[in-house]
Amino acid sequence: MPLKELLKARFTSAIQSIPPGTWKILITDDHSQALLDTVYNHHDILHQNVTSVEPLHSPRAPMGVDAIYLLTPTSQNVDRIIADFSQGRRTYKSAHLYFIDGIDDRLAGKLTQNIPPDVLKAFVELYCNFWALEERVFTLRSPWSFFTMFGNPGGAISADMSIEAFEDDVKVTSRSILNLLATINENPYIRYYQPSHHGPLGPLAHSNTQSINGALAAPSPAAPPAGQSLRWRSAMGGSSSRHQEPVGEYLSKRIASEVQGSLDEYMANNPDFPAASSRPKAVLFIVDRSMDPAAPLLHEFWYQAMVNDLLPVEDGVRYKYTYENTLGGKEQKVALLTEADPVWVSVRHLHMKDAIDTLMTNFGKFAQEHAGFRGGGAQVNVNDLKDMLASLPQFQMQREQFSLHLDMAQECMGLFEKKKLNLAANVEQCCATGYTAEGKTPKTIVEEMVPLLDDRSVTSLDKVRIIALYILFREGVADEDRRRLYQHARLSLSEQDAINNMIHLGIKVIKDNKDRSSKGRIKQKFSSAEGEYELSRYKPVVQMVLEDHHYNRLDQSAFPFIKDTPPELVQTSRNAAAAPVQSSSSLRSARPTWHKASSARATNTEGKQRMIIFVAGGMTYSEMRLAYTVGQALGKEIFIGSTHVTTPEDYVKDLKALGRGGVGGNPPKPVSLHPQSPGRATRSPGAPTSYQNILDFRYWVPPVGPPPLAPPPGAPGAEQGASVPGGAQKNGSLSGSSLSARMSEMSLGSKDGKKKKDEEGGGKKKGLFGKMKW
């Protein structure tokens, strides 16, 4: 089932928790409302006997209806809920509390002790606190995480702030992944990326700073001038000719450990999770951007990736364009590139050449089916006219969609020629794969690259991408060669920094001739597929990981399991490593089959094993495409997620700032906080804090006063529903022993989403293109 449908089912269980036919009001906060908007429109919510959707922090008037609170579990929200039913107030008939994430035990007890027993009817943790972008894609929408996870910690003071921000993001990331697993009902095996060619990065390298600085301070004949940053000596590996084994904890392992700990705690509190299923046990991969630093630099020519690379698409969804209306006039419109657009869905994962062919073919069929709208002198009777008028809105919408995507494809092709991307992409592919189209080692890259760097028609962004990929290919270059490349490209200092700062992703920018280590990043092996596009030969490492795991040939030293290992991998047969990939399942066929109408058998994911891969530090649109193409080729249901989605332009911009001291504690793309936010809670320098404190900090809003008090007895309106019902305690308090009579819990492993009563008491919650060479 698509992720958005699973999320919608979670929210529906809350909205429909009150018996049908009963009117109710829905109370949300800013964050929960934004999540709700991704799967529900306002009109559909109101059609479920909801009188209105009101912000929690607003001056709401008392109403004699049941209230559903769909909220983020923050201390501020809890206090505001209690204010609705304290000091003589009875804002609503009853309260049904639904939190999108796990709530702290202390706050759960505070709610149950301060809301009258006949008011609190439900208390449920939905665990759906993540963003579903597409059917198989999710994100945390935290672009600042790239800086907190990989940024230069800086000096002592800034390092403390960087480490605090890092700890916060790791904790939020792990809890968001737990929310995903609870939503899809999976307790997976967990594998993580363990590099061997570089040490820990970002704040995780801070603990080794003193020992490393000793090596950095050592002079060497090849050392850069004194005015340069120590990072160049770090990139060169110091003066030692011996390769030093990395020491310390890596980012992927750190996140994987946090996920496993949260999952173990969740399962201990929810013994019915996961619910029984016919699926094989899922596998979760935790990797990070340093595993494949080349993927965001490449020019990709798959439709979705190319559109987001070359055209001004906002957040991967909103595209402003000029449209010609039926009267011949020009209009400005904003197109939403979402799954509500069937034309977009049909071509987004196709190579641009195939996308253009598909758009032209489908538009031709569409024009023939609606020939009556074009006139042409044919006789049209009354019945035909009625049918045409009935289908007119759909016709206009489809016509606009076809026109939009044909124009987008045409604009991409124009930029392809203008920017000389056929020449640039050939150099990029040779550098990224390490092979020419014929499978030979590239020997003329410099001769092909330098004219592009000298060409003023090639943008500086494209030059940065070419040089960065070349340095990746050479595993570092001599310092003098690096300077010459910058001079040829006429790069600004900030653009040079974008390349130089790749050292913070574990890449050697300056080669050390004394380093004889054979270890390096994961590289693609040459494989020739019939009809493969020459400019789309690179296979993202994410794809290699998924395929190699499927065929039991994924190196367990590079991708160990955090806890349990599948029985079939304990003693892996050597024959499995030799299992060939059938050519019929090639993902690089010149005539791929995924754009065709899928059969029911191909689209049915019931019973298929799930593979979830999370990329910390940003994922690309080409990696998102793999969730669909690799899943279909391997017969798996694959979900991919990340802290955020990145484009080549965003990636280069982020690299420019990555080397700034303390950038993690003060990133260019900070957490979105309210201007009046009180700031971070007091904590020991560099020490982690609780997940509850992080939620309280990130989702703080200006306080709004509680509803007005009930009028005194005998005054007009005294009989309205705002008065406290008879029998309720004067202060609204409740002993912990009566919790089981008023508080219900949701077994998040169950499919039907039903609530079950808490039998333990004690006030505790339950668990946490034309003719073109391609």
Side-chain angles (χ1 to χ4, degrees):
M1 182 182 291
L3 278 179
K4 286 192 175 182
E5 292 298 322
L6 291 169
L7 272 182
K8 187 174 183 178
R10 290 281 195 182
F11 290 126
T12 302
S13 68
I15 297 173
Q16 297 182 355
S17 60
I18 297 177
T22 304
W23 288 98
K24 59 258 188 183
I25 186 172
L26 181 62
I27 312 297
T28 62
D29 57 45
D30 291 344
H31 181 56
S32 64
Q33 182 63 51
L35 286 177
L36 187 64
D37 289 341
T38 62
V39 295
Y40 259 119
N41 61 55
H42 191 71
H43 185 266
D44 290 339
I45 294 176
L46 297 182
H47 264 253
Q48 302 184 56
N49 288 97
V50 176
T51 60
S52 62
V53 181
E54 301 288 343
L56 175 68
H57 297 278
S58 63
R60 293 169 281 108
M63 297 179 64
V65 297
D66 298 307
I68 298 175
Y69 291 82
L70 183 61
L71 303 172
T72 308
T74 66
S75 300
Q76 190 181 28
N77 285 352
V78 167
D79 291 339
R80 191 63 178 81
I81 296 171
I82 294 174
D84 283 350
F85 304 98
S86 62
Q87 297 183 358
R89 298 183 185 90
R90 180 75 177 259
T91 308
Y92 304 110
K93 180 180 177 181
S94 65
H96 300 250
L97 307 185
Y98 289 83
F99 293 102
I100 62 172
D101 206 331
I103 187 171
D104 184 75
D105 286 343
R106 177 182 56 83
L107 294 181
K110 187 175 181 180
L111 281 168
T112 57
Q113 292 169 13
N114 289 279
I115 298 180
D118 61 335
V119 171
L120 183 58
K121 300 296 184 181
F123 193 113
V124 180
E125 297 166 306
L126 294 176
Y127 280 91
C128 57
N129 190 12
F130 63 92
W131 302 89
L133 294 186
E134 297 179 3
E135 287 186 5
R136 302 186 185 182
V137 182
F138 67 97
T139 179
L140 312 187
R141 290 189 178 178
S142 57
W144 60 83
S145 296
F146 181 75
F147 303 100
T148 60
M149 293 178 176
F150 297 106
N152 179 9
I157 297 177
S158 61
D160 286 341
M161 294 183 63
S162 297
I163 293 173
E164 290 174 7
F166 170 81
E167 295 288 352
D168 289 356
D169 277 348
V170 168
K171 197 175 293 291
V172 170
T173 297
S174 64
R175 285 296 295 262
S176 298
I177 295 175
L178 173 64
N179 276 255
L180 171 81
L181 297 177
T183 298
I184 65 175
N185 187 45
E186 290 287 359
N187 171 32
Y189 299 108
I190 301 178
R191 303 187 76 166
Y192 61 93
Y193 172 54
Q194 180 83 357
S196 59
H197 62 289
H198 65 76
L201 303 172
L204 287 175
H206 184 67
S207 59
N208 297 327
T209 299
Q210 292 183 351
S211 60
I212 294 176
N213 282 342
L216 294 181
S220 85
Q228 290 194 10
S229 169
L230 290 177
R231 65 174 182 261
W232 303 125
R233 284 186 284 251
S234 177
M236 295 174 63
S239 59
S240 174
S241 60
R242 295 168 53 187
H243 175 71
Q244 298 181 355
E245 291 295 329
V247 178
E249 191 174 27
Y250 289 87
L251 173 61
S252 297
K253 182 179 180 180
R254 180 64 178 278
I255 296 175
S257 299
E258 289 277 350
V259 172
Q260 187 66 66
S262 298
L263 187 59
D264 290 344
E265 181 181 357
Y266 177 78
M267 293 185 63
N269 293 316
N270 296 271
D272 295 333
F273 176 84
S277 173
S278 60
R279 296 178 186 271
K281 190 171 183 177
V283 181
L284 168 64
F285 298 92
I286 306 291
V287 302
D288 59 74
R289 190 68 270 161
S290 68
M291 183 183 75
D292 188 4
L297 295 169
L298 289 166
H299 280 95
E300 292 281 8
F301 302 113
W302 311 99
Y303 186 73
Q304 184 182 30
M306 189 174 186
V307 162
N308 280 276
D309 185 2
L310 300 182
L311 302 184
V313 182
E314 183 182 350
D315 295 332
V317 175
R318 288 177 290 277
Y319 174 66
K320 295 181 180 180
Y321 69 104
T322 302
Y323 173 72
E324 183 177 347
N325 57 30
T326 55
L327 300 178
K330 299 291 185 180
E331 295 182 9
Q332 288 286 337
K333 284 197 172 184
V334 177
L336 298 180
L337 305 179
T338 66
E339 290 169 331
D341 180 353
V343 179
W344 167 255
V345 173
S346 67
V347 298
R348 63 182 175 182
H349 298 144
L350 299 184
H351 194 277
M352 181 60 79
K353 182 180 183 300
D354 293 320
I356 292 175
D357 293 342
T358 301
L359 286 171
M360 294 296 294
T361 301
N362 292 345
F363 183 69
K365 294 179 180 178
F366 170 78
Q368 290 180 355
E369 293 171 356
H370 300 84
F373 287 104
R374 305 196 311 270
Q379 294 294 328
V380 180
N381 57 35
V382 175
N383 291 329
D384 291 338
L385 186 59
K386 288 182 178 180
D387 294 338
M388 290 167 57
L389 291 175
S391 61
L392 183 60
Q394 183 180 5
F395 166 80
Q396 291 177 336
M397 180 181 296
Q398 288 183 313
R399 177 179 177 275
E400 291 180 8
Q401 290 170 346
F402 276 115
S403 176
L404 164 68
H405 292 289
L406 286 169
D407 288 345
M408 289 171 62
Q410 183 179 4
E411 187 172 353
C412 285
M413 291 308 303
L415 292 172
F416 179 88
E417 296 180 0
K418 180 181 179 180
K419 294 186 173 186
K420 300 182 179 180
L421 295 187
N422 57 330
L423 300 177
N426 181 59
V427 174
E428 293 173 1
Q429 290 293 316
C430 291
C431 291
T433 62
Y435 298 95
T436 64
E438 295 76 25
K440 299 180 181 179
T441 301
K443 297 182 179 179
T444 62
I445 287 185
V446 175
E447 290 77 2
E448 297 176 27
M449 176 178 59
V450 171
L452 291 171
L453 300 182
D454 290 331
D455 193 335
R456 293 184 181 273
S457 65
V458 178
T459 64
S460 295
L461 173 61
D462 289 345
K463 293 177 181 179
V464 169
R465 294 161 72 171
I466 292 172
I467 296 175
L469 287 166
Y470 176 71
I471 290 176
L472 277 169
F473 166 64
R474 295 293 303 273
E475 297 184 353
V477 296
D479 191 32
E480 184 61 29
D481 292 341
R482 177 178 62 90
R483 295 175 182 274
R484 288 177 180 174
L485 290 174
Y486 292 168
Q487 291 173 358
H488 276 289
R490 295 177 293 277
L491 299 183
S492 66
L493 291 177
S494 63
E495 289 165 347
Q496 294 178 32
D497 281 342
I499 301 172
N500 299 336
N501 287 335
M502 291 194 304
I503 63 171
H504 296 290
L505 295 179
I507 300 167
K508 283 197 172 182
V509 177
I510 301 177
K511 179 174 291 186
D512 179 11
N513 293 327
K514 297 180 180 180
D515 187 359
R516 298 292 184 264
S517 173
S518 60
K519 297 180 179 180
R521 63 187 182 89
I522 301 173
K523 297 180 180 178
Q524 177 177 339
K525 295 181 180 179
F526 176 75
S527 61
S528 178
E530 183 180 355
E532 182 182 63
Y533 295 112
E534 289 188 11
L535 301 186
S536 300
R537 305 192 311 272
Y538 182 72
K539 181 186 294 187
V541 178
V542 166
Q543 179 176 342
M544 292 188 277
V545 169
L546 294 172
E547 291 178 344
D548 287 353
H549 174 82
H550 176 73
Y551 292 109
N552 291 341
R553 60 189 183 206
L554 186 61
D555 185 2
Q556 292 197 42
S557 63
F559 293 90
F561 289 86
I562 196 69
K563 188 177 180 182
D564 299 327
T565 302
E568 62 270 18
L569 291 182
V570 175
Q571 295 180 342
T572 306
S573 172
R574 293 185 178 181
N575 295 332
V581 180
Q582 299 296 326
S583 59
S584 60
S585 299
S586 173
L587 303 178
R588 300 284 169 167
S589 171
R591 290 291 181 267
T593 58
W594 354 289
H595 65 285
K596 300 179 181 179
S598 302
S599 64
R601 182 178 180 181
T603 57
N604 181 21
T605 58
E606 185 66 28
K608 291 183 178 179
Q609 184 187 32
R610 283 170 169 159
M611 299 170 74
I612 308 112
I613 187 161
F614 183 85
V615 186
M619 63 182 168
T620 68
Y621 286 98
S622 287
E623 290 170 336
M624 289 165 54
R625 176 180 59 87
L626 300 176
Y628 304 86
T629 58
V630 176
Q632 182 174 339
L634 302 181
K636 306 285 187 181
E637 186 175 15
I638 298 177
F639 298 112
I640 186 170
S642 180
T643 51
H644 64 291
V645 181
T646 188
T647 64
E649 183 176 3
D650 291 338
Y651 185 59
V652 171
K653 285 182 179 178
D654 292 346
L655 284 172
K656 291 178 182 179
L658 194 61
R660 192 184 74 210
V663 67
N666 185 24
K669 301 176 181 179
V671 180
S672 180
L673 301 175
H674 193 277
Q676 300 175 7
S677 173
R680 293 175 180 269
T682 304
R683 57 199 285 188
S684 300
T689 188
S690 68
Y691 182 62
Q692 185 62 59
N693 286 341
I694 299 172
L695 291 180
D696 292 345
F697 168 65
R698 294 191 176 184
Y699 299 110
W700 184 92
V701 295
V704 177
L709 290 170
E719 280 74 28
Q720 293 182 356
S723 60
V724 179
Q729 298 182 19
K730 185 175 182 180
N731 60 359
S733 63
L734 180 71
S735 63
S737 61
S738 64
L739 173 63
S740 60
R742 302 167 35 233
M743 177 178 172
S744 62
E745 275 297 335
M746 180 181 189
S747 175
L748 296 178
S750 63
K751 295 183 178 179
D752 57 4
K754 292 182 178 179
K755 304 182 293 293
K756 62 180 184 179
K757 294 182 178 179
D758 183 7
E759 298 177 353
E760 297 177 0
K764 293 186 178 180
K765 65 183 182 66
K766 189 171 184 179
L768 297 188
F769 300 140
K771 297 180 180 178
M772 191 65 59
K773 178 183 177 184
W774 295 100

